[in-house]
Amino acid sequence: MKCRRCSELAQVRLPSHHTGFCAPCFETYFLRQVERGIHEHKQFSKEDRVLLAVSGGKDSLGLLLALTRLGYDITALHIDLGIPVSSQGARATVEAYCAAHSIKLHVLETAEKGLPIPEVKKRVNRPICSVCGKIKRHWFNRFAYENGYDVLATGHNLDDEVARLFANTLRWDQAYLAGQGPVSPAEGKFVRKVKPLCRLTEYETAVWCFLNGIEHVLAACPYSAGASFTGHKKLLADLEERSPGMKMQFYEHFLQRGKPAFQAVRAEAPPLNECARCGYPSSMEVCGVCRIKDQLEA
Amino acid sequence: MVRVLIESTGEQREFRALKSVTQLLNRLGLKSTEVLVIRGRELLTPDRMIGHEGEIRIRHVVSRG
Ligand SMILES: [Zn+2]
Ligand SMILES: [Zn+2]
């Protein structure tokens, strides 16, 4: 097949767009989709200081390259979870990448904050991925807030968003449906959160990383026995194959029609408290992360 | 012989001949948007011909963990 833009031999076929691209034209397409996601949802501008959460996987490193190329003011933040082997590998990957591209990088160790993940795993009886996610979200937000960043960006892509939307819809979880989307506005000690890859699929970010020679972490976390939503992603991939473009439609129609309805319902929800220990937003007197710390210290 | 390496598992497969990438994906039970089909420094679209020899890498795109 031939590239739609320049008629050279295509390297990438995108059924959802009924098209194919050669390598240079795919890169143009990819950067345009990132830019379009940012503009359409008013995520941030060139004046904003953006903190990007970087895990070492393809989505976050791919996004880091794209935002740098597009000329945004980006600082990377990596959270070292202290998991033997896998955390060292992820951290080394991120450090090497940022050094090679002269990108500002901060590394925050959860162990230093009293939360080494291997210890947490021993003491907490809930699935470790949800606990770990909670800890990461807390520290990403807290670091951004304390250091005066305007926005916190993450590498979540269209597939992540659609899988989450599908899970939330299956439960008709009104609070989550009201809050889901490519932008969460700043509120109290929550900084604005954005997902600039919301228009791009996992396949597309993998292609982007390959074409740019990005060395990213391939191994899964040793604690995750199948990451979140894997089953849903399979189902959605089957649907997408039968009707290309369905994922994007499901997501965009939700944002246009579904989300406003859920937000109206949620407007009556009580405001968040501040955690009695750390002062960050919480629905309880002491936030989830401080409660995990208590459990470790007990 | 066409040698195919599946990166995620390290598994190696050999095929005497493969008409196209689509045929390879069908043999492996994979969707075209589920993996990158890599030959050298190039990505192959499903319609590309493969033939009797060469080395191909299959990289899964789903991020795990
Ligand atoms: Zn082209
Ligand atoms: Zn707290």
Side-chain angles (χ1 to χ4, degrees):
Chain A
M1 89 186 285
K2 287 184 171 172
C3 172
R4 182 173 73 181
R5 291 180 74 239
C6 72
S7 302
E8 292 290 318
L9 184 63
Q11 282 200 49
V12 190
R13 184 179 77 119
L14 300 178
S16 57
H17 291 76
H18 311 287
T19 194
F21 290 120
C22 70
C25 292
F26 175 82
E27 298 200 20
T28 305
Y29 155 85
F30 188 91
L31 289 175
R32 281 192 186 159
Q33 290 293 325
V34 175
E35 196 72 290
R36 193 170 153 194
I38 294 169
H39 283 295
E40 240 173 27
H41 302 291
K42 300 188 176 61
Q43 296 189 346
F44 50 88
S45 70
K46 299 255 153 84
E47 281 69 52
D48 287 319
R49 289 181 69 217
V50 180
L51 184 71
L52 174 59
V54 180
S55 65
K58 69 176 193 310
D59 299 307
S60 58
L61 283 184
L63 178 58
L64 184 54
L65 176 67
L67 293 178
T68 315
R69 286 253 181 97
L70 290 167
Y72 288 100
D73 176 7
I74 305 296
T75 301
L77 174 63
H78 176 69
I79 293 188
D80 185 332
L81 302 164
I83 301 170
V85 189
S86 100
S87 289
Q88 281 112 300
R91 179 174 177 163
T93 302
V94 171
E95 285 177 339
Y97 183 88
C98 290
H101 294 83
S102 312
I103 292 165
K104 292 166 275 180
L105 167 69
H106 293 277
V107 177
L108 189 153
E109 295 176 7
T110 61
E112 236 171 51
K113 309 291 180 190
L115 293 159
I117 301 302
E119 283 305 307
V120 174
K121 187 177 188 291
K122 276 186 222 158
R123 298 293 191 88
V124 177
N125 284 326
R126 278 172 292 149
I128 187 66
C129 289
S130 73
V131 176
C132 191
K134 192 191 276 279
I135 292 171
K136 283 196 279 187
R137 281 192 299 277
H138 174 90
W139 278 105
F140 279 133
N141 176 69
R142 188 160 165 181
F143 187 93
Y145 183 80
E146 287 175 356
N147 294 283
Y149 288 93
D150 300 297
V151 283
L152 171 62
T154 56
H156 292 101
N157 55 46
L158 179 65
D159 291 283
D160 298 326
E161 282 291 272
V162 170
R164 176 180 296 273
L165 173 58
F166 186 59
N168 290 339
T169 305
L170 287 175
R171 294 195 314 275
W172 294 112
D173 189 319
Q174 298 189 354
Y176 280 14
L177 286 165
Q180 199 191 333
V183 184
S184 313
E187 192 188 345
K189 285 184 184 171
F190 277 132
V191 299
R192 192 193 316 159
K193 287 182 197 62
V194 299
K195 296 166 184 167
L197 293 179
C198 63
R199 299 187 55 81
L200 290 147
T201 62
E202 205 139 48
Y203 174 75
E204 290 164 327
T205 60
V207 169
W208 165 257
C209 286
F210 174 82
L211 295 178
N212 285 288
I214 296 176
E215 300 279 342
H216 56 82
V217 179
L218 285 172
C221 169
Y223 293 167
S224 75
S228 54
F229 309 133
T230 309
H232 291 159
K233 279 186 175 173
K234 270 213 172 85
L235 262 174
L236 292 159
D238 284 339
L239 279 174
E240 179 73 19
E241 192 168 57
R242 263 174 262 174
S243 11
M246 183 280 312
K247 280 193 278 203
M248 181 75 95
Q249 240 185 59
F250 180 47
Y251 188 57
E252 293 207 317
H253 287 169
F254 161 73
L255 293 178
Q256 286 159 17
R257 303 168 192 174
K259 186 176 161 121
F262 291 107
Q263 277 176 320
V265 176
R266 207 204 174 190
E268 296 134 35
L272 281 177
N273 306 320
E274 285 190 357
C275 167
R277 301 278 162 75
C278 68
Y280 279 82
S282 169
S283 53
M284 307 226 240
E285 204 197 317
V286 175
C287 81
V289 172
C290 289
R291 273 182 286 139
I292 295 166
K293 244 188 198 168
D294 288 350
Q295 254 176 289
L296 285 191
E297 283 159 11
Chain B
M1 241 4 142
V2 183
R3 262 185 283 278
V4 178
L5 169 68
I6 321 253
E7 287 184 349
S8 56
T9 58
E11 187 195 350
Q12 306 232 25
R13 298 279 297 268
E14 291 193 337
F15 298 92
R16 198 161 291 160
L18 286 165
K19 249 193 320 207
S20 62
V21 171
T22 297
Q23 194 186 30
L24 171 61
L25 293 172
N26 288 340
R27 294 266 181 95
L28 299 173
L30 294 168
K31 290 185 187 61
S32 67
T33 52
E34 200 172 16
V35 292
L36 305 185
V37 181
I38 305 167
R39 189 168 64 191
R41 300 176 65 181
E42 191 187 30
L43 296 176
L44 304 181
T45 53
D47 59 328
R48 291 289 290 276
M49 299 300 147
I50 295 181
H52 297 273
E53 56 186 345
E55 301 204 352
I56 287 174
R57 278 183 296 148
I58 299 285
R59 179 175 299 173
H60 280 80
V61 306
V62 175
S63 47
R64 291 154 310 135

